[in-house]
Amino acid sequence: MRSGSSLLTHLIINNPEVIGYGETHLCYKSTEDLKKLLYNVYEKVRSYQMNEIYVLDKILHNQRLQNNDFLSSQSIKTIFLLREPKATINSLLILKPHWTSKEASNYYCGRLLTLVNYAQSINDRNRCLFITYEQIIDQSQSVLDKLQNYLNTKEEFSEQYQVTRITGLKGIGDSSSNIKSGKIIKKSPSKQMEIDHDSLNRAIASFSQTSETLSQYCQTIKDNL
């Protein structure tokens, strides 16, 4: 949560070769569950032409993938997205004001550990891409070029995207005004929450280690296009 995944989702599904809308809340145990994804996405977006190459789901919580072997399917390509810890925890505390900074840090570190487990289970750089929210904001074109190369699409990806009737709906993705702008917005949040020193340091260490590991198991924008 709060990694910039709604922005990345919109950038990806704006390409005509990809269909999706955000977080479906489906659980996956085997590739048979991909049939549920197909039905869910095409029903939600009300498109039954099925001309796309990829169907996208955004997964934010550990319990959604109930069997890591599911990821070994050659039909699945995974994009890992991280956001630096201070901004993520700040955003989590705004979203969930009943959480302490320790609880937000626990979620963050636990999620990052699971992402590492996913990447190690897949163990195939051809089917894993690792990018950061900061790269989307500061190195937008490099990220967009890498997405086209990684997904092998004919169409390029763009910094601008179409806002849909689902954009901004709670439970599917970011509900703030930024996501409804239809473009990448390069500004920092004005509201700063108090984060205790120990929680932040633990999250920083987790981010550093996770970034290093994912870079070993995944393609990055630093790889040759």
Side-chain angles (χ1 to χ4, degrees), residues 9-150:
T9 292
H10 278 75
L11 295 174
I12 292 175
I13 64 174
N14 197 60
N15 190 300
E17 295 170 61
V18 186
I19 190 169
Y21 62 86
E23 189 180 6
T24 67
H25 301 282
L26 293 172
C27 293
Y28 298 99
K29 293 181 180 178
S30 73
T31 52
E32 284 296 304
D33 292 319
L34 291 174
K35 295 176 183 177
K36 298 177 185 177
L37 175 63
L38 287 169
Y39 179 82
N40 179 295
V41 169
Y42 281 103
E43 181 183 49
K44 185 71 73 174
V45 301
R46 298 176 183 173
S47 171
Y48 297 96
Q49 311 230 345
M50 297 192 180
N51 295 324
E52 296 82 10
I53 297 174
Y54 294 101
V55 180
L56 177 146
D57 194 5
K58 180 177 76 168
I59 298 174
L60 302 181
H61 305 288
N62 295 344
Q63 65 269 27
R64 298 300 177 197
L65 282 185
Q66 300 179 355
N67 184 350
N68 282 12
D69 293 341
F70 165 83
L71 295 172
S72 65
S73 170
Q74 293 297 309
S75 65
I76 296 173
K77 283 202 166 188
T78 304
I79 299 173
F80 294 93
L81 176 66
L82 299 190
R83 186 181 184 185
E84 63 90 4
K86 185 175 182 180
T88 307
I89 293 175
N90 187 76
S91 190
L92 281 169
L93 293 174
I94 293 172
L95 178 70
K96 296 183 177 291
H98 59 286
W99 276 15
T100 65
S101 54
K102 182 178 180 180
E103 288 174 318
S105 178
N106 286 344
Y107 166 81
Y108 182 83
C109 294
R111 186 62 181 148
L112 265 57
L113 179 61
T114 300
L115 296 184
V116 167
N117 290 336
Y118 292 160
Q120 291 173 334
S121 294
I122 299 168
N123 195 25
D124 183 353
R125 287 174 61 88
N126 291 323
R127 295 191 296 109
C128 293
L129 173 63
F130 164 46
I131 58 179
T132 67
Y133 175 76
E134 291 71 34
Q135 288 172 335
I136 295 175
I137 299 300
D138 299 327
Q139 304 176 60
S140 304
Q141 193 56 55
S142 294
V143 169
L144 298 173
D145 290 343
K146 186 60 186 181
L147 284 172
Q148 183 180 11
N149 175 269
Y150 174 63

